[in-house]
Amino acid sequence: MDVQGFHHLAIQVRDVEKVTAFYRDVLGFSELKRHHRPDGSLRSIWVGVPGGGFLALEEVTGEPGPGPFRNEQPGLFLLAFRIPKAGRAGAVEALARAGVPLEHETRWTMYVRDPEGNRVALSHHPED
């Protein structure tokens, strides 16, 4: 087997435009492509993940379930993205300007949620 790195991650979301705006406008990911159903309605938006790969935001009709920051359910726990330590204060300011509250913080990592409650980490671990 010759696995060569991360390709993409797909997340099912109810409001693909709103969730895309978070990753594009707040986190600064580039919008790569929009996919439509045969009837012309929007099905998916792909955003580029800095450093390689992409995040596919796939529209579904179910309701997102709220959950605590930590829980005992198996499955996706969070998406973690690398930031430089020197960029942490700027990231905090950008999140505040966008109205995105910090849910939890550690010495290396800040945790927020996207508009549908998916946990997102911005980390400079292990850089002190």
Side-chain angles (χ1 to χ4, degrees):
M1 187 179 304
D2 185 15
V3 176
Q4 298 180 346
F6 175 77
H7 188 268
H8 78 278
L9 175 71
I11 300 177
Q12 297 183 138
V13 300
R14 182 169 175 84
D15 188 336
V16 71
E17 290 281 9
K18 186 175 183 179
V19 176
T20 296
F22 172 81
Y23 290 97
R24 183 190 59 224
D25 303 341
V26 177
L27 297 187
F29 293 10
S30 59
E31 185 173 317
L32 302 176
K33 189 165 185 172
R34 288 175 175 246
H35 298 271
H36 295 86
R37 296 179 184 91
D39 69 3
S41 63
L42 185 61
R43 176 186 60 83
S44 176
I45 300 176
W46 294 1
V47 294
V49 175
F54 64 93
L55 184 59
L57 303 168
E58 304 285 336
E59 186 179 65
V60 295
T61 58
E63 290 294 326
F69 175 71
R70 293 201 179 272
N71 65 56
E72 299 300 317
Q73 297 292 81
L76 178 69
F77 180 62
L78 63 84
L79 304 170
F81 301 105
R82 183 176 329 160
I83 60 169
K85 182 178 187 239
R88 183 176 180 138
V92 169
E93 290 172 16
L95 292 167
R97 277 193 312 273
V100 178
L102 291 178
E103 182 152 332
H104 184 71
E105 263 189 289
T106 70
R107 177 172 155 188
W108 298 287
T109 307
M110 299 175 298
Y111 300 90
V112 298
R113 290 188 189 247
D114 75 16
E116 293 201 0
N118 296 300
R119 296 165 190 88
V120 177
L122 303 170
S123 183
H124 52 84
H125 184 270
E127 185 184 349
D128 277 324

